[in-house]
Every structure is written in structure tokens, then in C-alpha cells.
Amino acid sequence: MVRLHLAAEAPPAVWFVAEGELDLETSAQVRARIDEHVDSGYATLVLDLSAITFVDSTGLRTVIEAQKTAQGRGLGFALVPGPPPVQRLFELTGTSDLFQEPPSIRA
């Protein structure tokens, strides 16, 4: 189960917070919700994975596809990393460097 909600809609960015599991069962729901906002006039889409407890390869593909969709429409895409077990999948697959973090969380 996953819960995806808008944490902020302050131009130029829309910020999604995902909670729960991002996997085969939930990825389509997450993708559809993000796709609803791709053409909403925001310059950047932010996906916050800090409350995700599990991600599988389908979830990883969903994040990559969301980034490609955003960039294909000339938008920025930023990713708030998940907890260590979630980030492990990104690291093992060599995809962790594909994503930028939102400036507000950089030290």
C-alpha cells in the first residue's frame, strides 16, 4: 500500500510525499498521480521517498519514468532519498546518481 499526497504546490515546484511501499501493486497509482501534474504549470516535480518503507524494481522503474516524463516536457525533477533500505536498491542498480535532491535539503 502506498499513500501519495501533495505536500506543497508552491510554484515553481510541486512536491509529492510517498508513504508506504512503492512496488508492483502501487506503482501505477503513483505514476498516474504524478502524471496528473506534469502539465500543471510547475517548473519542477519533487518526489519525496523519505517515508517509503519498501521499493522493488517496478517502483524504481516508476521513479525513472517519472523523471524522464518530466524532463521530456522541460521540467526539473528532484528526488528526496528514502531510508537506507530503500536507497540500497538505487545504489545497487547504479541509479542513485541519476537524481538531484531538492536544494532545500542539501547541507
Side-chain angles (χ1 to χ4, degrees):
M1 175 182 223
V2 70
R3 180 172 173 248
L4 184 71
H5 60 92
L6 291 175
E9 285 187 273
V14 60
W15 194 293
F16 293 96
V17 176
E19 300 173 358
E21 298 179 355
L22 182 55
D23 56 16
L24 178 62
E25 184 178 334
T26 62
S27 287
Q29 172 189 350
V30 170
R31 181 63 196 262
R33 188 75 193 274
I34 291 171
D35 284 350
E36 290 173 8
H37 290 81
V38 169
D39 294 320
S40 296
Y42 297 100
T44 303
L45 298 177
V46 179
L47 180 57
D48 184 337
L49 300 182
S50 62
I52 288 291
T53 58
F54 174 80
V55 64
D56 68 4
S57 60
T58 306
L60 175 62
R61 186 182 77 224
T62 297
V63 174
I64 293 169
E65 288 175 351
Q67 179 189 44
K68 286 183 179 182
T69 298
Q71 291 177 340
R73 292 203 169 96
L75 307 176
F77 185 86
L79 188 69
V80 177
V86 169
Q87 283 308 112
R88 183 162 166 74
L89 178 63
F90 288 86
E91 292 163 6
L92 288 173
T93 58
T95 56
S96 59
D97 292 338
L98 295 178
F99 305 101
Q100 294 182 1
E101 292 182 15
S104 62
I105 67 166
R106 289 190 179 146

